[in-house]
Every structure is written in structure tokens, then in C-alpha cells.
Coordinates of all heavy atoms in Angstrom, one line a residue:
M1075 N 10.2 177.1 84.2 CA 9.6 177.0 85.5 C 8.5 176.0 85.5 O 7.9 175.7 84.3 CB 9.2 178.3 86.0 CG 10.3 179.4 86.4 SD 9.8 180.8 87.3 CE 8.8 181.7 86.1
Y1076 N 8.1 175.5 86.6 CA 7.0 174.6 86.6 C 6.0 175.1 87.7 O 6.4 175.5 88.8 CB 7.4 173.1 87.0 CG 8.0 172.5 85.8 CD1 9.3 172.8 85.3 CD2 7.3 171.5 85.1 CE1 9.8 172.1 84.1 CE2 7.8 170.9 84.0 CZ 9.0 171.3 83.5 OH 9.5 170.6 82.4
E1077 N 4.6 174.8 87.4 CA 3.6 175.2 88.3 C 3.1 173.8 88.9 O 2.9 172.8 88.1 CB 2.5 175.9 87.5 CG 1.4 176.7 88.3 CD 2.1 178.1 88.6 OE1 3.4 178.2 88.7 OE2 1.4 178.9 88.9
H1078 N 2.7 173.9 90.2 CA 2.3 172.7 90.9 C 1.0 173.2 91.6 O 1.0 174.1 92.4 CB 3.4 172.3 91.9 CG 2.9 171.2 92.8 ND1 2.7 169.9 92.4 CD2 2.7 171.2 94.2 CE1 2.4 169.1 93.4 NE2 2.4 169.9 94.5
I1079 N -0.1 172.7 91.2 CA -1.4 173.0 91.7 C -2.1 171.9 92.3 O -2.1 170.8 91.8 CB -2.3 173.6 90.6 CG1 -1.8 174.8 89.9 CG2 -3.7 173.9 91.1 CD1 -2.4 175.4 88.8
V1080 N -2.5 172.0 93.6 CA -3.1 170.9 94.4 C -4.5 171.4 95.0 O -4.5 172.6 95.5 CB -2.2 170.4 95.5 CG1 -2.8 169.3 96.1 CG2 -0.8 170.1 94.9
T1081 N -5.5 170.7 94.9 CA -6.7 170.9 95.7 C -7.0 169.7 96.6 O -6.8 168.5 96.2 CB -7.9 171.2 94.8 OG1 -8.2 170.1 93.9 CG2 -7.7 172.4 94.0
F1082 N -7.5 170.0 97.8 CA -7.6 169.0 98.9 C -9.2 168.8 99.2 O -9.8 170.0 99.4 CB -6.9 169.4 100.1 CG -5.4 169.5 99.8 CD1 -4.9 170.7 99.5 CD2 -4.5 168.4 100.0 CE1 -3.5 170.9 99.4 CE2 -3.2 168.6 99.9 CZ -2.7 169.8 99.5
K1083 N -9.6 167.6 99.3 CA -10.9 167.3 99.7 C -10.9 166.6 101.1 O -10.2 165.5 101.1 CB -11.7 166.5 98.6 CG -13.1 166.1 99.1 CD -13.7 165.4 97.8 CE -15.2 165.1 98.1 NZ -15.8 164.5 96.9
F1084 N -11.5 167.0 102.1 CA -11.3 166.4 103.4 C -12.6 165.7 103.8 O -13.7 166.0 103.2 CB -11.0 167.5 104.4 CG -9.6 168.1 104.2 CD1 -9.6 169.4 103.7 CD2 -8.5 167.6 104.5 CE1 -8.4 170.0 103.4 CE2 -7.2 168.2 104.1 CZ -7.2 169.4 103.7
N1085 N -12.5 164.9 104.7 CA -13.6 164.1 105.2 C -14.2 164.9 106.5 O -13.7 166.0 106.7 CB -13.3 162.6 105.5 CG -12.3 162.5 106.6 OD1 -12.2 163.3 107.6 ND2 -11.5 161.5 106.6
E1086 N -15.2 164.2 107.1 CA -15.9 164.9 108.2 C -15.0 165.1 109.4 O -15.4 165.8 110.4 CB -17.1 164.2 108.5 CG -17.0 162.8 109.1 CD -16.7 161.7 108.1 OE1 -16.9 161.9 106.9 OE2 -16.4 160.6 108.5
N1087 N -13.8 164.4 109.5 CA -12.9 164.6 110.6 C -12.2 165.9 110.6 O -11.5 166.2 111.7 CB -12.0 163.4 110.7 CG -12.7 162.1 110.9 OD1 -13.7 162.0 111.6 ND2 -12.2 161.1 110.2
I1088 N -12.2 166.8 109.6 CA -11.4 167.9 109.5 C -12.2 169.1 110.3 O -13.3 169.1 110.3 CB -11.3 168.5 108.1 CG1 -10.2 169.6 108.0 CG2 -12.6 168.8 107.4 CD1 -8.8 169.1 108.2
T1089 N -11.4 169.7 111.2 CA -12.0 170.8 111.9 C -11.4 172.2 111.4 O -10.4 172.1 110.6 CB -11.5 170.6 113.4 OG1 -10.0 170.9 113.4 CG2 -12.0 169.4 114.0
P1090 N -12.0 173.2 111.6 CA -11.5 174.5 111.2 C -10.1 174.8 111.7 O -9.2 175.4 111.0 CB -12.5 175.6 111.7 CG -13.8 174.8 111.9 CD -13.4 173.4 112.3
E1091 N -9.8 174.4 112.9 CA -8.5 174.5 113.4 C -7.5 173.7 112.7 O -6.4 174.2 112.4 CB -8.5 174.1 114.9 CG -9.2 175.0 115.8 CD -10.9 174.7 115.9 OE1 -11.2 173.5 115.3 OE2 -11.6 175.5 116.2
K1092 N -7.8 172.4 112.3 CA -6.8 171.6 111.6 C -6.8 172.2 110.2 O -5.7 172.2 109.7 CB -7.5 170.3 111.5 CG -6.6 169.1 110.7 CD -5.2 169.1 111.5 CE -4.4 168.0 110.7 NZ -3.0 167.7 111.4
Q1093 N -7.8 172.8 109.5 CA -7.7 173.4 108.3 C -6.6 174.5 108.3 O -5.8 174.7 107.5 CB -8.9 174.0 107.7 CG -10.0 173.1 107.3 CD -11.3 173.7 106.9 OE1 -11.3 174.8 106.3 NE2 -12.4 173.1 107.2
Q1094 N -6.7 175.3 109.3 CA -5.8 176.5 109.5 C -4.4 176.0 109.7 O -3.5 176.6 109.2 CB -6.2 177.3 110.7 CG -5.5 178.6 110.8 CD -5.6 179.5 109.5 OE1 -6.7 179.8 108.9 NE2 -4.5 179.9 109.0
N1095 N -4.2 174.9 110.4 CA -2.9 174.3 110.7 C -2.3 173.9 109.4 O -1.1 174.1 109.2 CB -3.0 173.3 111.7 CG -1.7 172.6 112.0 OD1 -1.3 171.6 111.4 ND2 -1.0 173.2 113.0
L1096 N -3.1 173.1 108.6 CA -2.6 172.7 107.3 C -2.2 173.8 106.4 O -1.2 173.8 105.7 CB -3.6 171.8 106.7 CG -3.9 170.5 107.3 CD1 -5.2 169.8 106.7 CD2 -2.7 169.6 107.3
L1097 N -3.0 174.9 106.4 CA -2.7 176.0 105.6 C -1.3 176.7 106.0 O -0.6 177.0 105.2 CB -3.9 177.0 105.8 CG -3.7 178.3 104.9 CD1 -3.6 178.1 103.4 CD2 -5.0 179.2 105.2
N1098 N -1.2 176.8 107.3 CA 0.0 177.3 107.8 C 1.3 176.5 107.5 O 2.3 177.0 107.1 CB -0.1 177.5 109.3 CG -0.9 178.6 109.8 OD1 -1.4 179.4 109.0 ND2 -1.5 178.5 111.0
Q1099 N 1.1 175.2 107.5 CA 2.2 174.2 107.1 C 2.5 174.6 105.5 O 3.7 174.6 105.2 CB 1.8 172.8 107.2 CG 1.9 172.3 108.6 CD 1.6 170.7 108.6 OE1 0.4 170.4 108.8 NE2 2.6 169.9 108.4
L1100 N 1.6 174.7 104.8 CA 1.9 174.9 103.3 C 2.5 176.1 103.1 O 3.5 176.2 102.3 CB 0.4 174.8 102.6 CG -0.2 173.5 102.4 CD1 -1.6 173.6 101.8 CD2 0.6 172.5 101.7
K1101 N 2.0 177.2 103.8 CA 2.6 178.5 103.6 C 4.0 178.6 104.2 O 4.8 179.4 103.6 CB 1.9 179.6 104.3 CG 0.4 179.8 103.5 CD -0.3 180.9 104.2 CE -1.5 181.4 103.5 NZ -2.2 182.4 104.1
S1102 N 4.4 177.7 105.0 CA 5.8 177.7 105.5 C 6.8 177.0 104.6 O 7.9 177.1 104.8 CB 5.8 177.0 106.8 OG 5.7 175.5 106.7
F1103 N 6.3 176.4 103.5 CA 7.2 175.7 102.6 C 8.2 176.6 101.9 O 9.3 176.4 101.8 CB 6.5 175.0 101.5 CG 5.7 173.7 101.9 CD1 5.0 173.0 101.0 CD2 5.9 173.2 103.2 CE1 4.3 171.9 101.3 CE2 5.3 172.0 103.5 CZ 4.4 171.4 102.6
K1104 N 7.7 177.9 101.6 CA 8.5 178.8 100.9 C 9.7 179.2 101.9 O 9.4 179.6 103.0 CB 7.8 180.0 100.4 CG 8.6 180.9 99.5 CD 7.9 181.9 98.7 CE 8.9 182.8 98.0 NZ 8.3 183.8 97.3
G1105 N 10.9 179.2 101.5 CA 12.0 179.5 102.3 C 12.5 178.4 103.1 O 13.6 178.4 103.6
R1106 N 11.7 177.2 103.1 CA 12.2 176.0 103.8 C 12.5 174.9 102.8 O 13.3 174.0 103.1 CB 11.1 175.5 104.8 CG 10.9 176.5 105.9 CD 9.8 176.2 106.8 NE 10.3 175.2 107.7 CZ 9.5 174.3 108.4 NH1 8.1 174.6 108.3 NH2 9.9 173.5 109.3
I1107 N 11.9 175.0 101.6 CA 12.1 174.0 100.6 C 12.8 174.7 99.4 O 12.2 175.6 98.8 CB 10.8 173.3 100.2 CG1 10.2 172.7 101.4 CG2 11.0 172.3 99.0 CD1 8.9 171.9 101.1
P1108 N 13.9 174.2 99.0 CA 14.7 174.9 97.8 C 13.9 174.8 96.6 O 13.1 173.9 96.3 CB 16.0 174.1 97.8 CG 16.1 173.4 99.0 CD 14.7 173.1 99.6
G1109 N 14.0 175.9 95.8 CA 13.5 175.8 94.4 C 12.1 176.5 94.2 O 11.6 176.5 93.2
I1110 N 11.6 176.9 95.3 CA 10.2 177.4 95.3 C 10.4 178.9 95.0 O 11.1 179.7 95.7 CB 9.4 177.3 96.6 CG1 9.0 175.8 96.9 CG2 8.2 178.2 96.6 CD1 8.3 175.5 98.2
V1111 N 9.8 179.4 93.9 CA 9.9 180.8 93.4 C 8.7 181.6 94.0 O 8.9 182.7 94.6 CB 9.8 180.9 91.9 CG1 9.8 182.3 91.5 CG2 11.0 180.1 91.3
E1112 N 7.5 181.0 94.0 CA 6.3 181.6 94.6 C 5.4 180.6 95.1 O 5.3 179.5 94.6 CB 5.7 182.4 93.4 CG 4.5 183.3 93.9 CD 3.9 184.1 92.8 OE1 4.6 184.1 91.7 OE2 2.8 184.6 93.0
L1113 N 4.7 180.9 96.2 CA 3.7 180.0 96.7 C 2.5 180.8 97.2 O 2.7 181.8 97.9 CB 4.4 179.2 97.9 CG 3.5 178.2 98.6 CD1 4.4 177.1 99.2 CD2 2.7 178.8 99.7
T1114 N 1.3 180.2 96.9 CA 0.1 180.7 97.5 C -0.7 179.6 97.8 O -0.7 178.5 97.3 CB -0.7 181.6 96.5 OG1 -1.1 180.9 95.3 CG2 0.1 182.9 96.1
A1115 N -1.5 179.7 99.0 CA -2.3 178.7 99.5 C -3.5 179.4 100.2 O -3.3 180.4 100.7 CB -1.7 177.8 100.5
G1116 N -4.7 178.8 100.1 CA -5.8 179.3 101.0 C -7.0 178.4 100.9 O -7.1 177.3 100.3
I1117 N -7.9 178.7 101.8 CA -9.2 178.1 101.9 C -10.1 178.6 100.9 O -10.2 179.8 100.6 CB -9.8 178.4 103.3 CG1 -8.9 178.0 104.5 CG2 -11.2 177.7 103.5 CD1 -8.5 176.5 104.5
N1118 N -10.9 177.7 100.3 CA -11.8 177.9 99.1 C -13.0 178.9 99.6 O -13.7 178.5 100.5 CB -12.3 176.7 98.6 CG -13.1 176.8 97.3 OD1 -13.3 178.0 96.8 ND2 -13.4 175.8 96.5
V1119 N -13.0 180.0 99.1 CA -14.2 181.0 99.4 C -15.1 181.2 98.2 O -15.8 182.2 98.2 CB -13.6 182.4 100.0 CG1 -12.8 182.2 101.2 CG2 -12.7 183.0 98.9
T1120 N -15.0 180.5 97.2 CA -15.9 180.6 96.1 C -17.4 180.7 96.4 O -17.8 179.9 97.3 CB -15.7 179.6 94.9 OG1 -16.4 180.0 93.8 CG2 -16.1 178.2 95.4
E1121 N -18.1 181.5 95.8 CA -19.6 181.4 95.9 C -20.3 180.5 94.9 O -21.5 180.3 95.0 CB -20.2 183.0 95.6 CG -19.6 183.9 96.7 CD -20.1 185.3 96.4 OE1 -20.9 185.6 95.5 OE2 -19.7 186.2 97.2
E1122 N -19.5 179.8 94.1 CA -20.0 178.8 93.2 C -20.1 177.4 93.9 O -19.5 176.5 93.6 CB -19.1 178.7 92.0 CG -19.0 180.1 91.3 CD -18.2 179.9 90.0 OE1 -18.5 179.0 89.2 OE2 -17.2 180.6 89.9
I1123 N -21.0 177.4 95.0 CA -21.0 176.2 95.9 C -21.3 174.9 95.1 O -20.6 173.9 95.5 CB -22.2 176.5 96.9 CG1 -22.0 177.7 97.7 CG2 -22.3 175.3 97.8 CD1 -20.8 177.7 98.5
E1124 N -22.0 175.0 93.9 CA -22.3 173.8 93.3 C -21.0 173.2 92.6 O -20.9 172.1 92.1 CB -23.4 173.9 92.2 CG -23.1 174.9 91.1 CD -23.2 176.3 91.6 OE1 -23.7 176.7 92.6 OE2 -22.9 177.3 90.6
Q1125 N -19.9 174.1 92.3 CA -18.7 173.7 91.8 C -17.6 173.2 92.7 O -16.6 172.7 92.2 CB -18.2 174.9 90.9 CG -19.2 175.4 89.9 CD -19.7 174.3 88.9 OE1 -18.9 173.4 88.5 NE2 -20.9 174.4 88.5
I1126 N -17.8 173.3 94.0 CA -16.7 173.0 94.9 C -16.4 171.6 95.0 O -15.2 171.1 95.2 CB -17.1 173.5 96.4 CG1 -17.1 175.0 96.4 CG2 -16.1 173.1 97.5 CD1 -17.5 175.7 97.7
Q1127 N -17.4 170.7 95.0 CA -17.3 169.3 95.1 C -16.5 168.8 96.3 O -15.8 167.8 96.3 CB -16.7 168.7 93.8 CG -17.5 169.0 92.6 CD -17.0 168.4 91.3 OE1 -16.3 167.4 91.3 NE2 -17.3 169.0 90.2
G1128 N -16.6 169.6 97.4 CA -15.9 169.2 98.5 C -14.4 169.7 98.6 O -13.8 169.4 99.7
Y1129 N -13.8 170.3 97.7 CA -12.4 170.7 97.7 C -12.4 172.0 98.4 O -12.8 173.1 97.9 CB -11.9 170.7 96.3 CG -11.8 169.4 95.8 CD1 -12.8 168.7 95.0 CD2 -10.6 168.6 95.9 CE1 -12.7 167.5 94.6 CE2 -10.4 167.4 95.5 CZ -11.5 166.7 94.8 OH -11.4 165.5 94.3
I1130 N -11.8 172.1 99.6 CA -11.8 173.3 100.4 C -10.4 174.0 100.5 O -10.4 175.0 101.1 CB -12.5 173.1 101.7 CG1 -11.7 171.9 102.5 CG2 -13.9 172.7 101.5 CD1 -12.2 171.9 103.9
L1131 N -9.4 173.4 100.2 CA -8.0 173.9 100.4 C -7.3 173.8 99.1 O -7.3 172.9 98.4 CB -7.3 173.1 101.5 CG -5.8 173.6 101.8 CD1 -5.9 175.0 102.4 CD2 -5.2 172.7 102.9
G1132 N -6.7 175.0 98.7 CA -5.9 175.0 97.4 C -4.4 175.4 97.6 O -4.2 176.2 98.6
L1133 N -3.6 175.0 96.8 CA -2.2 175.4 96.9 C -1.6 175.5 95.4 O -2.0 174.8 94.5 CB -1.4 174.1 97.4 CG 0.1 174.2 97.4 CD1 0.7 175.2 98.3 CD2 0.7 172.8 97.8
R1134 N -0.8 176.4 95.3 CA -0.2 176.8 93.9 C 1.3 177.1 94.4 O 1.6 178.1 95.0 CB -0.8 178.0 93.1 CG -0.2 178.1 91.8 CD -0.6 179.4 91.1 NE -0.4 180.5 91.9 CZ 0.9 181.2 92.0 NH1 1.9 180.7 91.3 NH2 1.0 182.3 92.9
I1135 N 2.2 176.3 93.8 CA 3.6 176.6 93.9 C 4.3 176.7 92.5 O 4.0 175.8 91.6 CB 4.3 175.4 94.6 CG1 3.7 175.1 96.0 CG2 5.8 175.7 94.9 CD1 4.3 173.9 96.8
T1136 N 5.1 177.7 92.3 CA 5.9 177.9 91.2 C 7.3 177.4 91.5 O 7.9 178.0 92.5 CB 5.9 179.3 90.6 OG1 4.5 179.8 90.4 CG2 6.7 179.4 89.4
F1137 N 7.8 176.5 90.8 CA 9.2 176.0 91.1 C 10.1 176.5 90.0 O 9.6 176.6 88.7 CB 9.3 174.5 91.0 CG 8.6 173.8 92.2 CD1 7.3 173.3 92.1 CD2 9.3 173.7 93.4 CE1 6.7 172.8 93.3 CE2 8.8 173.1 94.5 CZ 7.4 172.7 94.4
K1138 N 11.4 176.7 90.2 CA 12.3 177.3 89.4 C 12.6 176.4 88.1 O 12.9 176.9 87.1 CB 13.6 177.8 90.0 CG 14.5 176.7 90.4 CD 15.8 177.3 91.1 CE 16.6 176.1 91.7 NZ 17.9 176.6 92.2
N1139 N 12.5 175.0 88.3 CA 12.7 174.1 87.2 C 12.1 172.8 87.6 O 11.6 172.6 88.7 CB 14.2 174.0 86.9 CG 15.1 173.6 88.1 OD1 14.7 172.9 88.9 ND2 16.2 174.2 88.2
K1140 N 12.2 171.9 86.7 CA 11.6 170.5 86.8 C 12.3 169.8 88.0 O 11.8 169.1 88.7 CB 11.7 169.7 85.6 CG 11.2 168.2 85.6 CD 9.6 168.2 85.8 CE 9.1 166.9 85.5 NZ 9.3 165.9 86.4
Q1141 N 13.7 169.9 88.1 CA 14.4 169.3 89.2 C 13.9 169.8 90.6 O 13.8 169.0 91.5 CB 15.9 169.5 89.0 CG 16.9 168.8 90.1 CD 16.6 167.3 89.8 OE1 16.8 166.8 88.7 NE2 16.3 166.6 90.9
A1142 N 13.6 171.1 90.7 CA 13.2 171.6 92.0 C 11.7 170.9 92.3 O 11.5 170.6 93.4 CB 13.0 173.1 91.9
L1143 N 11.0 170.7 91.3 CA 9.6 170.1 91.6 C 9.8 168.7 91.9 O 9.3 168.2 92.9 CB 8.7 170.2 90.2 CG 7.6 169.3 90.2 CD1 6.6 169.8 91.3 CD2 6.8 169.4 88.8
D1144 N 10.8 167.9 91.3 CA 11.0 166.6 91.5 C 11.6 166.4 93.0 O 11.3 165.4 93.7 CB 12.0 165.9 90.5 CG 11.4 165.8 89.2 OD1 10.1 165.9 89.0 OD2 12.2 165.5 88.2
D1145 N 12.5 167.3 93.3 CA 13.1 167.3 94.7 C 12.1 167.6 95.8 O 12.3 167.2 97.1 CB 14.3 168.3 94.9 CG 15.4 167.8 93.9 OD1 15.5 166.7 93.5 OD2 16.3 168.8 93.7
Y1146 N 11.0 168.3 95.5 CA 10.0 168.7 96.5 C 9.2 167.4 97.0 O 9.0 167.5 98.2 CB 9.0 169.7 95.8 CG 7.7 169.9 96.5 CD1 7.6 170.7 97.6 CD2 6.6 169.3 95.9 CE1 6.3 170.9 98.1 CE2 5.4 169.5 96.4 CZ 5.2 170.3 97.6 OH 4.0 170.5 98.2
L1147 N 9.0 166.5 96.1 CA 8.0 165.4 96.5 C 8.6 164.7 97.7 O 7.9 164.4 98.7 CB 7.7 164.6 95.3 CG 7.0 165.2 94.2 CD1 6.9 164.3 93.0 CD2 5.7 165.7 94.6
P1148 N 9.9 164.3 97.7 CA 10.4 163.5 98.9 C 10.9 164.4 100.0 O 11.4 163.9 101.0 CB 11.6 162.8 98.3 CG 12.1 163.6 97.2 CD 10.9 164.3 96.6
H1149 N 10.9 165.8 99.8 CA 11.5 166.6 100.8 C 10.8 166.4 102.1 O 9.6 166.2 102.3 CB 11.4 168.1 100.4 CG 12.1 168.9 101.3 ND1 11.7 169.4 102.5 CD2 13.3 169.7 101.0 CE1 12.6 170.3 103.1 NE2 13.6 170.4 102.1
P1150 N 11.6 166.3 103.3 CA 11.0 166.0 104.7 C 9.9 167.0 105.1 O 8.9 166.5 105.7 CB 12.3 166.3 105.4 CG 13.4 166.0 104.7 CD 13.0 166.5 103.3
F1151 N 9.9 168.2 104.7 CA 8.7 169.1 105.1 C 7.5 168.8 104.3 O 6.4 168.8 104.8 CB 9.1 170.6 104.8 CG 10.2 171.2 105.8 CD1 11.3 171.8 105.3 CD2 9.9 171.0 107.2 CE1 12.3 172.3 106.2 CE2 10.9 171.5 108.1 CZ 12.1 172.1 107.6
H1152 N 7.7 168.4 103.0 CA 6.5 168.0 102.3 C 6.0 166.7 102.8 O 4.7 166.4 103.0 CB 7.0 167.9 100.8 CG 5.7 167.3 99.9 ND1 5.8 166.1 99.3 CD2 4.6 168.0 99.5 CE1 4.6 166.0 98.8 NE2 3.9 167.0 98.8
Q1153 N 6.9 165.7 103.1 CA 6.5 164.4 103.5 C 5.8 164.5 105.0 O 4.7 163.9 105.3 CB 7.7 163.5 103.6 CG 8.0 163.0 102.3 CD 6.9 162.3 101.5 OE1 6.3 161.4 102.0 NE2 6.6 162.8 100.2
E1154 N 6.2 165.4 105.8 CA 5.6 165.8 107.0 C 4.1 166.2 106.9 O 3.2 165.8 107.6 CB 6.4 166.8 107.8 CG 5.8 167.2 109.2 CD 6.6 168.3 109.9 OE1 7.9 168.4 109.6 OE2 6.0 169.0 110.6
F1155 N 4.0 167.1 105.9 CA 2.7 167.6 105.6 C 1.9 166.5 105.1 O 0.6 166.2 105.6 CB 2.6 168.7 104.5 CG 1.3 169.2 104.0 CD1 0.6 170.0 104.9 CD2 0.8 168.6 102.9 CE1 -0.8 170.4 104.5 CE2 -0.4 169.0 102.4 CZ -1.3 169.8 103.2
V1156 N 2.3 165.6 104.2 CA 1.5 164.5 103.7 C 1.1 163.6 104.8 O -0.1 163.1 104.9 CB 2.3 163.6 102.7 CG1 1.6 162.4 102.3 CG2 2.5 164.6 101.3
S1157 N 1.9 163.3 105.8 CA 1.6 162.4 107.0 C 0.6 163.0 107.8 O -0.3 162.4 108.4 CB 2.9 162.3 107.8 OG 3.9 161.5 107.1
S1158 N 0.5 164.4 107.9 CA -0.6 165.1 108.7 C -1.9 165.0 108.1 O -2.9 165.3 108.7 CB -0.2 166.5 109.0 OG -0.2 167.3 107.7
L1159 N -2.0 164.5 106.9 CA -3.3 164.3 106.2 C -4.0 163.0 106.6 O -5.1 162.8 106.2 CB -3.1 164.4 104.7 CG -2.6 165.7 104.1 CD1 -2.4 165.7 102.6 CD2 -3.6 166.9 104.5
S1160 N -3.2 162.1 107.3 CA -3.8 160.8 107.5 C -5.1 160.8 108.4 O -5.1 161.6 109.4 CB -2.8 160.1 108.3 OG -3.2 158.6 108.7
G1161 N -6.1 160.3 107.9 CA -7.4 160.2 108.6 C -8.3 161.3 108.4 O -9.4 161.4 108.8
I1162 N -7.9 162.4 107.5 CA -8.8 163.5 107.4 C -8.9 163.8 105.8 O -9.8 164.6 105.5 CB -8.2 164.7 108.0 CG1 -6.8 165.1 107.6 CG2 -8.3 164.7 109.5 CD1 -6.3 166.5 108.0
I1163 N -8.2 163.0 104.9 CA -8.3 163.4 103.6 C -9.1 162.4 102.8 O -9.1 161.2 103.1 CB -6.9 163.4 102.9 CG1 -6.8 164.1 101.6 CG2 -6.2 162.0 102.9 CD1 -6.8 165.5 101.7
D1164 N -9.9 162.9 101.9 CA -10.9 162.0 101.1 C -10.1 161.9 99.7 O -10.2 160.8 99.0 CB -12.1 162.7 100.9 CG -13.1 162.0 102.0 OD1 -12.8 161.1 102.8 OD2 -14.3 162.5 102.0
N1165 N -9.7 163.1 99.1 CA -9.1 163.1 97.8 C -8.1 164.3 97.6 O -8.3 165.3 98.3 CB -10.3 163.1 96.7 CG -9.8 162.6 95.4 OD1 -8.7 161.9 95.2 ND2 -10.4 162.9 94.3
V1166 N -7.3 164.2 96.6 CA -6.4 165.2 96.2 C -6.3 165.3 94.7 O -6.2 164.2 94.1 CB -5.0 165.0 96.8 CG1 -4.0 166.1 96.4 CG2 -5.0 165.0 98.4
I1167 N -6.3 166.5 94.2 CA -6.1 166.6 92.7 C -4.7 167.4 92.6 O -4.6 168.5 93.2 CB -7.3 167.3 92.1 CG1 -8.5 166.6 92.1 CG2 -7.0 167.7 90.6 CD1 -9.8 167.3 91.6
V1168 N -3.9 166.9 91.7 CA -2.6 167.4 91.5 C -2.5 167.7 89.9 O -2.8 166.9 89.2 CB -1.4 166.6 92.0 CG1 -0.2 167.3 91.6 CG2 -1.6 166.3 93.4
V1169 N -2.0 169.0 89.6 CA -1.7 169.3 88.2 C -0.4 170.0 88.2 O -0.1 171.0 89.0 CB -2.8 170.3 87.7 CG1 -2.4 170.7 86.2 CG2 -4.2 169.6 87.8
D1170 N 0.5 169.4 87.4 CA 1.9 170.0 87.3 C 2.2 170.3 85.8 O 1.8 169.5 84.9 CB 3.0 169.0 87.7 CG 3.0 168.7 89.1 OD1 2.6 169.6 89.9 OD2 3.4 167.5 89.5
Y1171 N 2.6 171.6 85.6 CA 2.9 171.8 84.1 C 4.1 172.9 84.0 O 4.2 173.7 84.9 CB 1.6 172.4 83.4 CG 0.9 173.5 84.0 CD1 1.2 174.8 83.6 CD2 -0.2 173.2 85.0 CE1 0.6 175.9 84.3 CE2 -0.8 174.4 85.6 CZ -0.4 175.6 85.2 OH -1.0 176.7 85.9
E1172 N 4.7 172.8 82.8 CA 5.7 173.8 82.6 C 5.1 175.2 82.2 O 4.0 175.2 81.4 CB 6.5 173.3 81.4 CG 7.8 174.1 81.2 CD 8.8 173.5 80.2 OE1 8.4 172.5 79.5 OE2 9.9 174.0 80.1
I1173 N 5.8 176.1 82.6 CA 5.3 177.6 82.2 C 6.4 178.3 81.7 O 7.5 178.0 81.8 CB 4.7 178.4 83.6 CG1 5.7 178.4 84.7 CG2 3.4 177.7 84.0 CD1 5.2 179.3 85.7

């Protein structure tokens, strides 16, 4: 299996409503994108404010294998989400590893 971890840093154009919409989009991936075993996503609620560095949305997906991870990237639902980040995203950190 493979773990896919992503954190998102948004610019000042992000609204709480848009954050919630993005979160709902991410949560909808399970059941719509093949190969997802488990998915969690949420808004950062850490009390370690000095460690946030502006990253306020997190995503963790467990894929059944490397092929499922590879197929996820070009999947239309994933690409639709990526497109919805236009104009509001400052940075993204992605970590993928085998488990």
C-alpha cells in the first residue's frame, strides 16, 4: 500500500466557505476514485501556532498499491479539485511513501 499526504497553504483569497468546499471535495474522493483504501482530510486545528507556517488543510489517502496512486493523479475528480485551487493556493507539500 502507499500513503499520500498533502498539506495546503492558501493565500488571502481563501474564505471559510471555500475551505469547507475544498474539504468536502477531498472527502468525496473515496468511493469515486478507484484504489483508495482509506481517506482522511481536515482543517488544521493544532495549538502549535508557530508550527503551522500557513498550512491549514491536510489530506491523507491510503492507496491499495502504487498503480492506484499513479492513476489518482490524472483522475478527473482529482484534476477538478486541482483546478479549483486556482487563485487561492500559495503552496502545497506532498509526501508519498510505501507502507
